[in-house]
Amino acid sequence: MSSAGALWFAVQDDVFSSACIDTPAAIDSETRDKHPCQSSTSTSNVTSDSERHSLLDRFDDSFLLQNFHLSRQCLRFIIDYMHSRLKKDTFAKSNSLMYTEARSLAAVYFHANGSLTNRITERLEIDLKEAREAVKTLTKLLSDTSPDFITFPSSYNDRMGAAHVFKNVSGIPHVVGVLGYFHVQVTPPPGQEQMFVNTLGYHSAMMQVIFDLDGNILSLEQCCPGGTPEHSVWASTVIGKQFTTFQHGHSWVLGGRGLFGGGHVLTPIMDPSIKTKAVKRFNKAHALVYCHVQRVFGALKSRFQCLRDIGSFQTLKSVAYTIKACCVLHNISKKFSVPLPCDCILEPIHPPSSAVTSAAELPYDYMEDTKNEMIEMFFGLAEGHEDDD
């Protein structure tokens, strides 16, 4: 995980102060040192033994992985975290851990499978109507916690740590993340169908995502219709504006062709008049990294199958809640090294919109000269070196 990513596990001391139940034994030593519930001597706020995960412990590990697509330790962490948040709701029907377990597991099951069944709600001892309400409540709650679990490397040392990984893999310097646009199929409201048609020809909503080479999500924002040009989304996001004002220094994110002209976004050089060896090497290195978009987005839809087709929706905000909730669960699953439940189906890369084909419509790229200098410096090898065609 990225340097900044390790910080989210602390989450916030006040969140866990009343709900330090069991620290999962499977967490690695680095995580264990950072976990706020690590103390084994303090028991004043610990839930009683008779109440500890009595529902979760009824299921074997195979059942949990097959049905919830997460491990026991990962689910225990999620349940404890949800319990700590829901205990503060004075209007909640019940504050018991078992009640939170049933609701949390119902919500995770829905995200993992895309629907709820009577079979699973009976096993969880919760009726279907209440389970559906739990999905709505806990999806919103998980979405609201995204700033705790999805963090961008903001300090110089964090950025340099992330850049070191990218440099070792591709040779491209100062890259701190891969920028992509995650599409989920939707059924748009009547009369709005055209704006949701993406460049692959189906209706979708999309969100801007930045992730590291391990697949940890670092930034997530701006849910919009799938037909929105990518470069216009980047320019309007908080993270995009931060890069424009150099809040992240002279670092880059690496993006696709739809982001041509995007300032701190490194895209492949597509100008056919530029055929230098340096450009060819850079494009090859770019492709080596950018293909991770297919794997990371494919992994999201493999583990959380509700993202394959969200269906009808009332507002884009509700779509954003679902995507954010799944991305929070994704980062947690990465922390616990939970394998995917099935083979990852690579997500296709969306070609750029027609707006990108006309350079006259794009904003001035204030970083173009810097990009060109970087490409020549790091990929313009001496003539005597072997060409990488």
Side-chain angles (χ1 to χ4, degrees), residues 97-141:
L97 178 59
M98 188 169 179
Y99 180 70
T100 301
E101 279 187 286
R103 299 177 74 204
S104 299
L105 290 172
V108 172
Y109 182 91
F110 173 83
H111 290 126
N113 298 277
S115 62
L116 288 169
T117 64
N118 285 319
R119 179 185 68 87
I120 197 65
T121 55
E122 288 172 2
R123 295 290 299 271
L124 297 176
E125 299 180 359
I126 184 174
D127 65 63
L128 191 57
K129 180 180 179 181
E130 189 171 6
R132 287 171 176 161
E133 286 300 316
V135 170
K136 293 180 183 178
T137 300
L138 296 183
T139 297
K140 173 65 165 56
L141 181 57

Side-chain angles (χ1 to χ4, degrees), residues 151-374:
T151 59
F152 194 79
S154 56
S155 73
Y156 175 82
N157 287 340
D158 288 340
R159 289 196 299 271
M160 290 303 98
H164 180 71
V165 175
F166 280 97
K167 180 70 162 54
N168 284 345
V169 170
S170 66
I172 306 176
H174 307 305
V175 173
V176 293
V178 179
L179 172 62
Y181 290 84
F182 182 62
H183 289 257
V184 293
Q185 187 167 334
V186 297
T187 302
Q192 299 182 27
E193 291 86 356
Q194 189 57 40
M195 67 192 320
F196 286 89
V197 177
N198 61 39
T199 56
L200 290 179
Y202 66 90
H203 295 111
S204 69
M206 69 179 190
M207 285 196 78
Q208 178 177 285
V209 180
I210 301 176
F211 57 88
D212 65 18
L213 284 183
D214 289 328
N216 301 291
I217 296 172
L218 309 177
S219 173
L220 178 68
E221 58 177 308
Q222 200 79 340
C223 188
C224 53
T228 310
E230 293 178 356
H231 66 272
S232 67
V233 179
W234 168 253
S236 64
T237 58
V238 172
I239 192 74
K241 293 174 181 177
Q242 288 176 351
F243 270 94
T244 300
T245 55
F246 291 86
Q247 292 184 43
H248 299 288
H250 289 274
S251 56
W252 312 95
V253 289
L254 192 145
R257 291 183 296 150
L259 287 151
F260 177 77
H264 282 77
V265 183
L266 286 175
T267 59
I269 306 300
M270 304 307 297
D271 189 340
S273 65
I274 304 176
K275 299 180 180 180
T276 67
K277 293 180 180 180
V279 165
K280 291 179 181 179
R281 296 186 187 104
F282 169 77
N283 282 351
K284 185 176 180 179
H286 183 286
L288 178 67
V289 174
Y290 193 68
C291 68
H292 283 71
V293 166
Q294 295 179 278
R295 289 195 284 272
V296 173
F297 291 174
L300 275 168
K301 290 186 178 181
S302 295
R303 193 184 303 279
F304 306 110
Q305 294 177 18
C306 68
L307 297 175
R308 295 187 184 278
D309 189 348
I310 286 182
S312 302
F313 62 93
Q314 293 183 337
T315 66
L316 280 172
K317 183 179 289 187
S318 65
V319 178
Y321 288 157
T322 299
I323 297 174
K324 284 183 177 181
C326 290
C327 287
V328 166
L329 294 173
H330 166 84
N331 273 9
I332 296 173
S333 73
K334 295 290 292 183
K335 194 66 179 179
F336 283 88
S337 302
V338 184
L340 289 175
C342 57
D343 291 338
C344 177
I345 300 175
L346 299 181
E347 185 76 357
I349 292 178
H350 290 247
S353 67
S354 57
V356 179
T357 61
S358 174
E361 298 179 19
L362 296 173
Y364 169 70
D365 185 355
Y366 58 91
M367 293 290 286
E368 182 176 6
D369 291 341
T370 305
K371 292 175 184 177
N372 293 337
E373 291 171 3
M374 180 275 293

Side-chain angles (χ1 to χ4, degrees), residues 59-129:
F59 308 126
D60 62 32
D61 291 345
S62 177
F63 179 88
L64 295 176
L65 283 169
Q66 182 179 358
N67 288 275
F68 302 97
H69 301 172
L70 297 172
S71 66
R72 180 180 306 278
Q73 291 82 7
C74 186
L75 287 167
R76 181 175 288 124
F77 173 83
I78 293 165
I79 291 167
D80 286 349
Y81 182 73
M82 293 294 98
H83 187 53
S84 71
R85 298 294 295 262
L86 292 172
K87 280 174 68 176
K88 298 177 181 180
D89 183 0
T90 57
F91 298 100
K93 180 178 178 180
S94 172
N95 284 326
S96 73
L97 178 59
M98 188 169 179
Y99 180 70
T100 301
E101 279 187 286
R103 299 177 74 204
S104 299
L105 290 172
V108 172
Y109 182 91
F110 173 83
H111 290 126
N113 298 277
S115 62
L116 288 169
T117 64
N118 285 319
R119 179 185 68 87
I120 197 65
T121 55
E122 288 172 2
R123 295 290 299 271
L124 297 176
E125 299 180 359
I126 184 174
D127 65 63
L128 191 57
K129 180 180 179 181

